[in-house]
């Protein structure tokens, strides 16, 4: 927190090295496969490796985000004309990829091959980790080797709520599953079944909007303790009451 303030921020920035943490996905894949898997990672990763190497068409719904991100990439490249790691997301002429274009990423294919060959250990205690830390140091980041070596995935207790006869389960914070449960809980709390369809869609959107806006009140560190569940349930009740008044307007 002190460093963030010293750099002139009054809140956590959304980009750059400061909000960047050690990624947990590779370790999670390896641990899930160790506990529940029946096939080696080499076999499981094979389709993704092929897609990265041979290319996949850009989906229609990705084009707007790709265009938006390309502007940030170009701005970063203007500030630092040296070869940029993000150049792969732009065509040779600097234009963003559009729907239907074939996107290939050989370096990603090689990374997946390294992960599969080492059961993801390379990412935390091997060559991939060393490359990440070196790049961090070269570009003003804060990663150290120990940050990766000390990382281990944790098994957590899932959280859930009832929705129309179904039990819906999500991963607790710091994941965003709590937002889904809050919206489901608010949406299922006593709404009449004979409402017009368009009102139901409106109410669902309202619940989703409120809970996206209000999740920060209960979206806490995973070490928050057993009181989290009570706080979440109370927040869901509170959001539903707010929905009653907001929906009537």
């Amino acid at each position: 927190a002190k460093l963030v303030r010293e750099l002139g921020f009054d809140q956590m920035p959304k980009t750059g090295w400061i909000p960047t943490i050690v990624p947990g996905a590779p370790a999670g894949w390896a641990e899930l496969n160790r506990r529940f898997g029946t096939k080696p990672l080499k076999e499981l990763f094979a389709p993704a490796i092929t897609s990265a190497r041979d290319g996949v068409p850009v989906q229609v719904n990705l084009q707007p985000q790709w265009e938006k991100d390309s502007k940030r990439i170009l701005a970063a490249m203007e500030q630092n004309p040296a070869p940029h790691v993000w150049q792969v997301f732009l065509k040779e002429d600097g234009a963003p990829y559009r729907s239907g274009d074939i996107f290939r990423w050989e370096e990603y294919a090689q990374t997946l091959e390294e992960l599969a060959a080492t059961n993801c250990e390379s990412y935390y205690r091997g060559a991939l980790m060393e490359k990440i830390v070196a790049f961090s140091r070269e570009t003003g980041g804060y990663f150290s080797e120990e940050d990766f070596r000390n990382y281990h995935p944790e098994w957590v207790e899932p959280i859930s709520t009832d929705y129309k006869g179904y039990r819906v389960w999500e991963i607790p914070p710091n994941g965003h599953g709590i937002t889904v449960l809050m919206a489901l809980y608010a949406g299922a709390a006593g709404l009449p079944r004979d409402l017009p369809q368009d009102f139901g869609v409106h109410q669902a959107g309202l619940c989703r909007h409120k809970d996206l806006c209000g999740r920060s009140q209960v979206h806490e560190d995973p070490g928050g303790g057993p009181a989290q569940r009570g706080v979440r349930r109370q927040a869901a009740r509170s959001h539903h009451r707010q929905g009653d008044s907001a929906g009537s307007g």
Side-chain angles (χ1 to χ4, degrees):
K2 180 180 179 182
L3 174 62
V4 174
R5 289 192 291 268
E6 288 177 349
L7 292 175
F9 298 100
D10 57 5
Q11 59 183 350
M12 184 64 70
K14 296 181 179 180
T15 59
W17 278 114
I18 292 178
T20 304
I21 61 177
V22 175
W29 298 335
E31 178 63 9
L32 283 169
N33 194 52
R34 180 196 67 79
R35 184 167 175 179
F36 301 112
T38 59
K39 298 180 179 180
L41 289 185
K42 286 185 178 181
E43 182 177 349
L44 295 173
F45 280 24
I49 293 171
T50 299
S51 296
R53 180 162 286 137
D54 296 345
V56 293
V58 175
Q59 299 176 13
V60 173
N61 61 321
L62 291 181
Q63 180 175 317
Q65 186 63 46
W66 209 303
E67 292 177 345
K68 179 180 178 180
D69 287 342
S70 68
K71 296 177 182 179
R72 295 197 301 122
I73 294 172
L74 289 171
M77 292 171 62
E78 288 179 0
Q79 295 179 359
N80 183 4
H84 203 288
V85 65
W86 289 343
Q87 280 180 308
V88 68
F89 295 109
L90 301 175
K91 298 180 182 179
E92 292 184 1
D93 61 359
Y97 283 82
R98 303 185 183 280
S99 60
D101 290 341
I102 302 300
F103 176 69
R104 299 177 178 86
W105 195 357
E106 174 60 27
E107 293 82 0
Y108 188 51
Q110 295 174 9
T111 298
L112 290 175
E113 288 175 332
E114 174 78 5
L115 291 174
T118 64
N119 201 38
C120 297
E121 277 295 296
S122 180
Y123 201 92
Y124 302 92
R125 287 162 278 277
L128 290 177
M129 175 273 286
E130 293 172 355
K131 291 180 180 180
I132 295 171
V133 172
F135 180 76
S136 171
R137 288 173 175 159
E138 292 170 2
T139 55
Y142 307 97
F143 279 145
S144 70
E145 290 85 353
E146 292 306 307
D147 291 331
F148 287 80
R149 290 171 182 155
N150 292 333
Y151 181 86
H152 297 281
E154 298 179 358
W155 290 98
V156 297
E157 182 73 19
I159 55 178
S160 65
T161 193
D162 290 317
Y163 183 74
K164 295 185 177 181
Y166 294 92
R167 193 74 178 169
V168 182
W169 297 87
E170 290 283 353
I171 297 296
N174 53 2
H176 292 288
I178 180 63
T179 309
V180 175
L181 299 185
M182 290 170 66
L184 289 176
Y185 186 89
L191 293 178
R193 295 186 177 183
D194 57 350
L195 288 174
Q197 183 177 5
D198 57 348
F199 183 88
V201 173
H202 165 75
Q203 185 70 13
L206 183 63
C207 290
R208 177 65 171 163
H209 173 71
K210 292 198 284 49
D211 291 310
L212 282 172
C213 294
R215 67 185 173 192
S216 59
Q217 300 176 23
V218 294
H219 193 180
E220 57 194 28
D221 185 270
Q228 287 179 320
R229 258 181 222 187
V231 172
R232 295 178 192 124
R233 179 56 63 90
Q234 183 60 39
R237 292 195 182 103
S238 174
H239 278 273
H240 177 62
R241 287 194 295 269
Q242 294 171 16
D244 289 341
S245 58
S248 62

